[in-house]
Amino acid sequence: MSEVNLPVASFSPLYEQIKAMILASLQAAEWLPGAVIPSEMELAARYAVSQGTVRKAIDELAAQNLLVRRQGKGTFVATHQEDDWQYRFLRLAPDSGEKFLLTSHFLSCQKTKANSHIANLLKLKAGDTVIQIDRVQSFAGKPVVFEEIWLPATRFKGLDLDALNAWNGPVYALYESQFATHMVRAEEKIKAISADGALASHLHLAAGSPLLSIERVAFTYGNKPVEIRHARYDTSEQHYENKLN
């Protein structure tokens, strides 16, 4: 007698379903970054579930840094425009323990064709148009980071060098306010390299100086990659800091 393969029933806890609905509203820009979302009572009525179920969904979204709870004020959509969130994805910190305030100098912003590597990371086709940005970031007047950034041109129409240099704040906040693109998570690959002539010139170092190379893919809602960032860090007076839970 042959074995019969029966379909396996799938089950998603109710709070996971509510979490998915809230995420869909965030992705559809129903609640913008920095805005307060409806109360747990209002969401419970909207989705016809208990407040406890809504609370558990919001707790998970807050743990993922997509929402922020504020005692006595409500729950807000996370935004990179707030001081505590401006450098959420930056893991570079000065050895001195000083507050790390970086200043940006954008060197170029131009349209180019995506090579196969960039296209693959951004889920595009090789040859699709992307925007490439080069910039140097400095701490206390000393350049410490050189970055190359690639963005899909269709999502960031109108972005140019003048707009970047006129912006006073983190780039991710510019993406939010001008291009309705909120970065929610990132993946990084890290390796040690030596500075070639160009990098040495940008970072005011001797050729061959040790650097930390970080390739980051940043994602918006829906797990969609929307930025590639290749940074080289001078770690002579800084270190890469990561807190593991």
Side-chain angles (χ1 to χ4, degrees):
M1 185 176 182
S2 62
E3 184 177 333
V4 177
N5 293 319
L6 297 175
V8 178
S10 60
F11 172 75
S12 176
L14 187 55
Y15 78 90
E16 287 281 3
Q17 297 175 41
I18 302 306
K19 177 183 171 184
M21 292 178 187
I22 295 174
L23 270 173
S25 292
L26 292 172
Q27 188 171 354
E30 179 178 348
W31 311 308
L32 297 175
V36 63
I37 70 169
S39 68
E40 290 177 359
M41 182 180 296
E42 292 170 316
L43 290 174
R46 172 175 175 167
Y47 300 128
V49 296
S50 69
Q51 281 185 247
T53 298
V54 170
R55 185 174 302 116
K56 189 166 184 179
I58 289 176
D59 284 345
E60 286 214 350
L61 293 169
Q64 294 173 1
N65 296 313
L66 299 180
L67 297 176
V68 179
R69 290 188 181 277
R70 293 184 184 145
Q71 189 66 35
K73 295 183 178 180
T75 301
F76 294 75
V77 181
T79 173
H80 290 279
Q81 300 196 53
E82 294 183 7
D83 290 342
D84 292 344
W85 286 70
Q86 287 187 2
Y87 301 110
R88 181 161 70 90
F89 294 155
L90 181 65
R91 293 291 178 262
L92 196 65
D95 295 339
S96 63
E98 296 176 67
K99 187 174 182 181
F100 203 42
L101 296 175
L102 292 171
T103 57
S104 290
H105 176 54
F106 292 93
L107 306 175
S108 63
C109 176
Q110 57 190 354
K111 290 183 178 179
T112 186
K113 300 298 182 182
N115 62 31
S116 58
H117 177 66
I118 296 300
N120 181 59
L121 292 177
L122 286 175
K123 306 301 182 189
L124 302 173
K125 295 178 181 177
D128 281 356
T129 303
V130 293
I131 297 172
Q132 180 178 341
I133 300 165
D134 291 353
R135 75 165 171 176
V136 172
Q137 291 184 284
S138 300
F139 174 59
K142 184 175 185 287
V144 295
V145 182
F146 174 74
E147 289 182 319
E148 294 170 290
I149 299 169
W150 292 269
L151 305 164
T154 53
R155 180 179 282 266
F156 293 89
K157 290 179 180 178
L159 182 62
D160 58 23
L161 189 59
D162 289 340
L164 288 168
N165 281 318
W167 179 258
N168 184 24
V171 172
Y172 285 172
L174 172 66
Y175 297 166
E176 278 184 7
S177 63
Q178 303 298 319
F179 301 98
T181 300
H182 179 59
M183 301 303 187
V184 299
R185 72 177 190 88
E187 297 176 356
E188 292 184 337
K189 293 181 179 179
I190 306 172
K191 68 189 307 182
I193 64 169
S194 298
D196 60 19
L199 288 172
S201 177
H202 286 308
L203 296 174
H204 300 177
L205 298 171
S209 296
L211 299 173
L212 202 60
S213 171
I214 314 287
E215 184 181 72
R216 177 193 299 169
V217 183
F219 299 79
T220 190
Y221 299 116
N223 209 33
K224 184 175 181 59
V226 287
E227 184 204 57
I228 309 302
R229 186 176 295 206
H230 189 189
R232 287 73 145 196
Y233 295 164
D234 171 14
T235 57
S236 57
E237 297 178 5
Q238 289 76 224
H239 59 273
Y240 188 90
E241 180 179 76
N242 199 9
K243 298 178 181 178
L244 305 177
N245 296 318

mmCIF file of all heavy atoms in Angstrom, residues 156-193:
data_model
loop_
_atom_site.group_PDB
_atom_site.id
_atom_site.type_symbol
_atom_site.label_atom_id
_atom_site.label_comp_id
_atom_site.label_asym_id
_atom_site.label_seq_id
_atom_site.Cartn_x
_atom_site.Cartn_y
_atom_site.Cartn_z
ATOM 1 N N PHE A 156 14.670 57.091 -6.154
ATOM 2 C CA PHE A 156 15.270 58.332 -5.653
ATOM 3 C C PHE A 156 15.395 59.378 -6.771
ATOM 4 O O PHE A 156 16.438 60.011 -6.929
ATOM 5 C CB PHE A 156 16.634 58.035 -5.028
ATOM 6 C CG PHE A 156 16.554 57.208 -3.771
ATOM 7 C CD1 PHE A 156 16.582 55.818 -3.828
ATOM 8 C CD2 PHE A 156 16.404 57.810 -2.532
ATOM 9 C CE1 PHE A 156 16.492 55.052 -2.675
ATOM 10 C CE2 PHE A 156 16.315 57.051 -1.375
ATOM 11 C CZ PHE A 156 16.360 55.673 -1.446
ATOM 12 N N LYS A 157 14.316 59.538 -7.515
ATOM 13 C CA LYS A 157 14.306 60.513 -8.610
ATOM 14 C C LYS A 157 14.537 61.931 -8.068
ATOM 15 O O LYS A 157 13.928 62.342 -7.086
ATOM 16 C CB LYS A 157 12.965 60.461 -9.346
ATOM 17 C CG LYS A 157 12.751 59.184 -10.152
ATOM 18 C CD LYS A 157 11.390 59.184 -10.833
ATOM 19 C CE LYS A 157 11.185 57.908 -11.648
ATOM 20 N NZ LYS A 157 9.842 57.864 -12.275
ATOM 21 N N GLY A 158 15.419 62.658 -8.715
ATOM 22 C CA GLY A 158 15.665 64.042 -8.343
ATOM 23 C C GLY A 158 16.794 64.225 -7.345
ATOM 24 O O GLY A 158 17.201 65.362 -7.079
ATOM 25 N N LEU A 159 17.313 63.142 -6.796
ATOM 26 C CA LEU A 159 18.418 63.265 -5.841
ATOM 27 C C LEU A 159 19.682 63.678 -6.592
ATOM 28 O O LEU A 159 20.069 63.044 -7.576
ATOM 29 C CB LEU A 159 18.646 61.941 -5.120
ATOM 30 C CG LEU A 159 19.749 61.931 -4.055
ATOM 31 C CD1 LEU A 159 19.428 62.898 -2.928
ATOM 32 C CD2 LEU A 159 19.948 60.526 -3.502
ATOM 33 N N ASP A 160 20.321 64.755 -6.118
ATOM 34 C CA ASP A 160 21.559 65.208 -6.754
ATOM 35 C C ASP A 160 22.512 65.752 -5.703
ATOM 36 O O ASP A 160 22.198 65.784 -4.504
ATOM 37 C CB ASP A 160 21.274 66.249 -7.845
ATOM 38 C CG ASP A 160 20.527 67.484 -7.333
ATOM 39 O OD1 ASP A 160 20.589 67.765 -6.106
ATOM 40 O OD2 ASP A 160 19.883 68.173 -8.143
ATOM 41 N N LEU A 161 23.672 66.175 -6.146
ATOM 42 C CA LEU A 161 24.717 66.622 -5.222
ATOM 43 C C LEU A 161 24.284 67.857 -4.446
ATOM 44 O O LEU A 161 24.571 67.981 -3.248
ATOM 45 C CB LEU A 161 26.005 66.901 -5.998
ATOM 46 C CG LEU A 161 27.260 67.179 -5.169
ATOM 47 C CD1 LEU A 161 27.592 66.005 -4.252
ATOM 48 C CD2 LEU A 161 28.440 67.490 -6.093
ATOM 49 N N ASP A 162 23.585 68.774 -5.100
ATOM 50 C CA ASP A 162 23.123 69.986 -4.409
ATOM 51 C C ASP A 162 22.167 69.638 -3.274
ATOM 52 O O ASP A 162 22.250 70.216 -2.180
ATOM 53 C CB ASP A 162 22.437 70.935 -5.393
ATOM 54 C CG ASP A 162 23.426 71.596 -6.354
ATOM 55 O OD1 ASP A 162 24.633 71.618 -6.035
ATOM 56 O OD2 ASP A 162 22.976 72.073 -7.425
ATOM 57 N N ALA A 163 21.246 68.703 -3.526
ATOM 58 C CA ALA A 163 20.279 68.308 -2.493
ATOM 59 C C ALA A 163 20.981 67.654 -1.309
ATOM 60 O O ALA A 163 20.620 67.893 -0.153
ATOM 61 C CB ALA A 163 19.239 67.353 -3.090
ATOM 62 N N LEU A 164 21.988 66.843 -1.595
ATOM 63 C CA LEU A 164 22.724 66.180 -0.518
ATOM 64 C C LEU A 164 23.490 67.190 0.335
ATOM 65 O O LEU A 164 23.462 67.143 1.566
ATOM 66 C CB LEU A 164 23.689 65.149 -1.108
ATOM 67 C CG LEU A 164 23.051 63.886 -1.683
ATOM 68 C CD1 LEU A 164 24.069 63.102 -2.500
ATOM 69 C CD2 LEU A 164 22.481 63.007 -0.570
ATOM 70 N N ASN A 165 24.186 68.111 -0.314
ATOM 71 C CA ASN A 165 24.984 69.080 0.444
ATOM 72 C C ASN A 165 24.123 70.110 1.162
ATOM 73 O O ASN A 165 24.569 70.708 2.146
ATOM 74 C CB ASN A 165 25.986 69.775 -0.489
ATOM 75 C CG ASN A 165 27.204 68.903 -0.764
ATOM 76 O OD1 ASN A 165 27.724 68.259 0.147
ATOM 77 N ND2 ASN A 165 27.648 68.871 -2.006
ATOM 78 N N ALA A 166 22.879 70.301 0.683
ATOM 79 C CA ALA A 166 21.979 71.249 1.344
ATOM 80 C C ALA A 166 21.294 70.626 2.552
ATOM 81 O O ALA A 166 20.741 71.340 3.397
ATOM 82 C CB ALA A 166 20.928 71.756 0.347
ATOM 83 N N TRP A 167 21.304 69.287 2.635
ATOM 84 C CA TRP A 167 20.605 68.593 3.707
ATOM 85 C C TRP A 167 21.416 68.651 5.000
ATOM 86 O O TRP A 167 22.596 68.328 5.017
ATOM 87 C CB TRP A 167 20.337 67.150 3.318
ATOM 88 C CG TRP A 167 19.625 66.362 4.386
ATOM 89 C CD1 TRP A 167 20.161 65.460 5.248
ATOM 90 C CD2 TRP A 167 18.238 66.450 4.722
ATOM 91 N NE1 TRP A 167 19.199 64.958 6.084
ATOM 92 C CE2 TRP A 167 18.008 65.556 5.793
ATOM 93 C CE3 TRP A 167 17.168 67.193 4.218
ATOM 94 C CZ2 TRP A 167 16.745 65.384 6.367
ATOM 95 C CZ3 TRP A 167 15.912 67.025 4.791
ATOM 96 C CH2 TRP A 167 15.716 66.126 5.840
ATOM 97 N N ASN A 168 20.777 69.047 6.087
ATOM 98 C CA ASN A 168 21.440 69.138 7.379
ATOM 99 C C ASN A 168 20.934 68.017 8.278
ATOM 100 O O ASN A 168 19.968 68.169 9.006
ATOM 101 C CB ASN A 168 21.171 70.498 8.028
ATOM 102 C CG ASN A 168 21.921 70.669 9.336
ATOM 103 O OD1 ASN A 168 22.945 70.011 9.562
ATOM 104 N ND2 ASN A 168 21.425 71.538 10.199
ATOM 105 N N GLY A 169 21.584 66.875 8.203
ATOM 106 C CA GLY A 169 21.150 65.740 9.006
ATOM 107 C C GLY A 169 21.613 64.446 8.380
ATOM 108 O O GLY A 169 22.289 64.441 7.337
ATOM 109 N N PRO A 170 21.267 63.313 8.989
ATOM 110 C CA PRO A 170 21.678 62.018 8.441
ATOM 111 C C PRO A 170 20.990 61.721 7.116
ATOM 112 O O PRO A 170 19.857 62.147 6.874
ATOM 113 C CB PRO A 170 21.255 61.024 9.532
ATOM 114 C CG PRO A 170 20.173 61.713 10.284
ATOM 115 C CD PRO A 170 20.500 63.167 10.244
ATOM 116 N N VAL A 171 21.683 60.993 6.264
ATOM 117 C CA VAL A 171 21.152 60.667 4.938
ATOM 118 C C VAL A 171 19.867 59.862 5.044
ATOM 119 O O VAL A 171 18.939 60.050 4.254
ATOM 120 C CB VAL A 171 22.210 59.909 4.115
ATOM 121 C CG1 VAL A 171 21.604 59.399 2.814
ATOM 122 C CG2 VAL A 171 23.384 60.809 3.791
ATOM 123 N N TYR A 172 19.778 58.959 6.030
ATOM 124 C CA TYR A 172 18.568 58.148 6.151
ATOM 125 C C TYR A 172 17.351 59.014 6.461
ATOM 126 O O TYR A 172 16.232 58.677 6.079
ATOM 127 C CB TYR A 172 18.746 57.078 7.229
ATOM 128 C CG TYR A 172 19.632 55.912 6.801
ATOM 129 C CD1 TYR A 172 20.037 54.948 7.706
ATOM 130 C CD2 TYR A 172 20.053 55.781 5.486
ATOM 131 C CE1 TYR A 172 20.851 53.881 7.315
ATOM 132 C CE2 TYR A 172 20.864 54.737 5.082
ATOM 133 C CZ TYR A 172 21.260 53.779 5.996
ATOM 134 O OH TYR A 172 22.045 52.737 5.610
ATOM 135 N N ALA A 173 17.548 60.124 7.153
ATOM 136 C CA ALA A 173 16.437 61.044 7.395
ATOM 137 C C ALA A 173 16.020 61.744 6.104
ATOM 138 O O ALA A 173 14.836 62.031 5.889
ATOM 139 C CB ALA A 173 16.822 62.072 8.456
ATOM 140 N N LEU A 174 16.990 62.012 5.228
ATOM 141 C CA LEU A 174 16.671 62.577 3.913
ATOM 142 C C LEU A 174 15.846 61.586 3.102
ATOM 143 O O LEU A 174 14.850 61.956 2.469
ATOM 144 C CB LEU A 174 17.965 62.910 3.165
ATOM 145 C CG LEU A 174 17.823 63.330 1.698
ATOM 146 C CD1 LEU A 174 17.078 64.654 1.586
ATOM 147 C CD2 LEU A 174 19.188 63.433 1.030
ATOM 148 N N TYR A 175 16.224 60.316 3.134
ATOM 149 C CA TYR A 175 15.455 59.297 2.422
ATOM 150 C C TYR A 175 14.005 59.285 2.908
ATOM 151 O O TYR A 175 13.072 59.127 2.114
ATOM 152 C CB TYR A 175 16.048 57.913 2.652
ATOM 153 C CG TYR A 175 17.455 57.680 2.145
ATOM 154 C CD1 TYR A 175 18.177 56.572 2.562
ATOM 155 C CD2 TYR A 175 18.064 58.556 1.244
ATOM 156 C CE1 TYR A 175 19.469 56.336 2.100
ATOM 157 C CE2 TYR A 175 19.353 58.332 0.782
ATOM 158 C CZ TYR A 175 20.052 57.215 1.213
ATOM 159 O OH TYR A 175 21.318 56.977 0.765
ATOM 160 N N GLU A 176 13.839 59.408 4.224
ATOM 161 C CA GLU A 176 12.479 59.395 4.807
ATOM 162 C C GLU A 176 11.653 60.577 4.347
ATOM 163 O O GLU A 176 10.522 60.433 3.875
ATOM 164 C CB GLU A 176 12.569 59.452 6.337
ATOM 165 C CG GLU A 176 12.833 58.149 7.022
ATOM 166 C CD GLU A 176 12.797 58.303 8.533
ATOM 167 O OE1 GLU A 176 12.440 59.400 9.033
ATOM 168 O OE2 GLU A 176 13.117 57.337 9.205
ATOM 169 N N SER A 177 12.219 61.776 4.514
ATOM 170 C CA SER A 177 11.424 62.984 4.315
ATOM 171 C C SER A 177 11.198 63.329 2.854
ATOM 172 O O SER A 177 10.145 63.873 2.497
ATOM 173 C CB SER A 177 12.093 64.173 5.027
ATOM 174 O OG SER A 177 13.365 64.441 4.457
ATOM 175 N N GLN A 178 12.156 62.997 1.988
ATOM 176 C CA GLN A 178 12.049 63.398 0.591
ATOM 177 C C GLN A 178 11.659 62.266 -0.356
ATOM 178 O O GLN A 178 11.139 62.523 -1.449
ATOM 179 C CB GLN A 178 13.390 63.994 0.127
ATOM 180 C CG GLN A 178 13.869 65.175 0.947
ATOM 181 C CD GLN A 178 12.935 66.363 0.888
ATOM 182 O OE1 GLN A 178 12.394 66.689 -0.175
ATOM 183 N NE2 GLN A 178 12.708 67.009 2.007
ATOM 184 N N PHE A 179 11.887 61.015 0.071
ATOM 185 C CA PHE A 179 11.670 59.898 -0.854
ATOM 186 C C PHE A 179 10.823 58.773 -0.243
ATOM 187 O O PHE A 179 10.767 57.674 -0.801
ATOM 188 C CB PHE A 179 13.015 59.347 -1.340
ATOM 189 C CG PHE A 179 13.843 60.383 -2.046
ATOM 190 C CD1 PHE A 179 14.844 61.065 -1.372
ATOM 191 C CD2 PHE A 179 13.595 60.705 -3.371
ATOM 192 C CE1 PHE A 179 15.597 62.043 -2.004
ATOM 193 C CE2 PHE A 179 14.344 61.679 -4.020
ATOM 194 C CZ PHE A 179 15.342 62.360 -3.329
ATOM 195 N N ALA A 180 10.177 59.054 0.880
ATOM 196 C CA ALA A 180 9.256 58.099 1.522
ATOM 197 C C ALA A 180 9.880 56.712 1.665
ATOM 198 O O ALA A 180 9.222 55.697 1.470
ATOM 199 C CB ALA A 180 7.944 58.014 0.732
ATOM 200 N N THR A 181 11.162 56.687 2.015
ATOM 201 C CA THR A 181 11.879 55.424 2.162
ATOM 202 C C THR A 181 12.503 55.359 3.551
ATOM 203 O O THR A 181 13.400 56.137 3.874
ATOM 204 C CB THR A 181 12.979 55.286 1.089
ATOM 205 O OG1 THR A 181 12.375 55.333 -0.206
ATOM 206 C CG2 THR A 181 13.726 53.973 1.246
ATOM 207 N N HIS A 182 11.997 54.437 4.357
ATOM 208 C CA HIS A 182 12.469 54.291 5.736
ATOM 209 C C HIS A 182 13.295 53.020 5.859
ATOM 210 O O HIS A 182 12.829 51.924 5.533
ATOM 211 C CB HIS A 182 11.275 54.230 6.689
ATOM 212 C CG HIS A 182 11.667 54.056 8.124
ATOM 213 N ND1 HIS A 182 12.461 54.951 8.778
ATOM 214 C CD2 HIS A 182 11.364 53.087 9.022
ATOM 215 C CE1 HIS A 182 12.651 54.544 10.029
ATOM 216 N NE2 HIS A 182 11.991 53.407 10.193
ATOM 217 N N MET A 183 14.549 53.171 6.280
ATOM 218 C CA MET A 183 15.415 52.015 6.452
ATOM 219 C C MET A 183 15.078 51.322 7.769
ATOM 220 O O MET A 183 15.124 51.945 8.832
ATOM 221 C CB MET A 183 16.885 52.441 6.461
ATOM 222 C CG MET A 183 17.322 53.162 5.202
ATOM 223 S SD MET A 183 17.048 52.176 3.704
ATOM 224 C CE MET A 183 17.851 53.193 2.479
ATOM 225 N N VAL A 184 14.753 50.032 7.692
ATOM 226 C CA VAL A 184 14.314 49.331 8.896
ATOM 227 C C VAL A 184 15.326 48.308 9.403
ATOM 228 O O VAL A 184 15.302 47.921 10.569
ATOM 229 C CB VAL A 184 12.948 48.652 8.676
ATOM 230 C CG1 VAL A 184 11.896 49.698 8.345
ATOM 231 C CG2 VAL A 184 13.006 47.599 7.571
ATOM 232 N N ARG A 185 16.214 47.838 8.528
ATOM 233 C CA ARG A 185 17.243 46.910 8.981
ATOM 234 C C ARG A 185 18.386 46.906 7.978
ATOM 235 O O ARG A 185 18.257 47.440 6.862
ATOM 236 C CB ARG A 185 16.696 45.498 9.164
ATOM 237 C CG ARG A 185 16.375 44.744 7.888
ATOM 238 C CD ARG A 185 15.917 43.327 8.159
ATOM 239 N NE ARG A 185 15.834 42.527 6.936
ATOM 240 C CZ ARG A 185 16.838 41.841 6.419
ATOM 241 N NH1 ARG A 185 18.018 41.837 7.031
ATOM 242 N NH2 ARG A 185 16.700 41.138 5.306
ATOM 243 N N ALA A 186 19.502 46.317 8.374
ATOM 244 C CA ALA A 186 20.661 46.275 7.490
ATOM 245 C C ALA A 186 21.460 45.003 7.737
ATOM 246 O O ALA A 186 21.425 44.428 8.823
ATOM 247 C CB ALA A 186 21.534 47.506 7.704
ATOM 248 N N GLU A 187 22.163 44.575 6.704
ATOM 249 C CA GLU A 187 23.086 43.442 6.803
ATOM 250 C C GLU A 187 24.467 43.934 6.399
ATOM 251 O O GLU A 187 24.602 44.716 5.452
ATOM 252 C CB GLU A 187 22.642 42.300 5.877
ATOM 253 C CG GLU A 187 21.284 41.710 6.238
ATOM 254 C CD GLU A 187 20.827 40.641 5.242
ATOM 255 O OE1 GLU A 187 21.559 40.434 4.232
ATOM 256 O OE2 GLU A 187 19.763 40.049 5.471
ATOM 257 N N GLU A 188 25.494 43.483 7.110
ATOM 258 C CA GLU A 188 26.848 43.950 6.834
ATOM 259 C C GLU A 188 27.834 42.797 6.681
ATOM 260 O O GLU A 188 27.694 41.761 7.329
ATOM 261 C CB GLU A 188 27.343 44.867 7.960
ATOM 262 C CG GLU A 188 26.619 46.194 8.045
ATOM 263 C CD GLU A 188 27.192 47.118 9.091
ATOM 264 O OE1 GLU A 188 27.845 46.628 10.051
ATOM 265 O OE2 GLU A 188 27.001 48.342 8.966
ATOM 266 N N LYS A 189 28.828 43.020 5.830
ATOM 267 C CA LYS A 189 29.980 42.137 5.712
ATOM 268 C C LYS A 189 31.215 42.963 6.027
ATOM 269 O O LYS A 189 31.387 44.066 5.496
ATOM 270 C CB LYS A 189 30.073 41.549 4.297
ATOM 271 C CG LYS A 189 28.945 40.589 3.945
ATOM 272 C CD LYS A 189 29.121 40.036 2.535
ATOM 273 C CE LYS A 189 28.005 39.062 2.187
ATOM 274 N NZ LYS A 189 28.149 38.538 0.797
ATOM 275 N N ILE A 190 32.081 42.427 6.891
ATOM 276 C CA ILE A 190 33.218 43.187 7.394
ATOM 277 C C ILE A 190 34.517 42.454 7.091
ATOM 278 O O ILE A 190 34.608 41.243 7.255
ATOM 279 C CB ILE A 190 33.092 43.394 8.926
ATOM 280 C CG1 ILE A 190 31.739 44.039 9.268
ATOM 281 C CG2 ILE A 190 34.235 44.221 9.472
ATOM 282 C CD1 ILE A 190 31.452 44.101 10.740
ATOM 283 N N LYS A 191 35.523 43.206 6.660
ATOM 284 C CA LYS A 191 36.833 42.606 6.461
ATOM 285 C C LYS A 191 37.912 43.682 6.627
ATOM 286 O O LYS A 191 37.626 44.879 6.493
ATOM 287 C CB LYS A 191 36.928 41.928 5.099
ATOM 288 C CG LYS A 191 36.902 42.869 3.925
ATOM 289 C CD LYS A 191 36.770 42.141 2.571
ATOM 290 C CE LYS A 191 37.787 41.070 2.373
ATOM 291 N NZ LYS A 191 37.661 40.407 1.046
ATOM 292 N N ALA A 192 39.140 43.249 6.907
ATOM 293 C CA ALA A 192 40.273 44.152 7.048
ATOM 294 C C ALA A 192 40.943 44.324 5.687
ATOM 295 O O ALA A 192 41.121 43.357 4.942
ATOM 296 C CB ALA A 192 41.266 43.596 8.060
ATOM 297 N N ILE A 193 41.300 45.574 5.352
ATOM 298 C CA ILE A 193 41.975 45.859 4.089
ATOM 299 C C ILE A 193 43.099 46.858 4.337
ATOM 300 O O ILE A 193 43.238 47.410 5.437
ATOM 301 C CB ILE A 193 40.999 46.423 3.030
ATOM 302 C CG1 ILE A 193 40.448 47.781 3.481
ATOM 303 C CG2 ILE A 193 39.870 45.437 2.743
ATOM 304 C CD1 ILE A 193 39.698 48.520 2.386
#
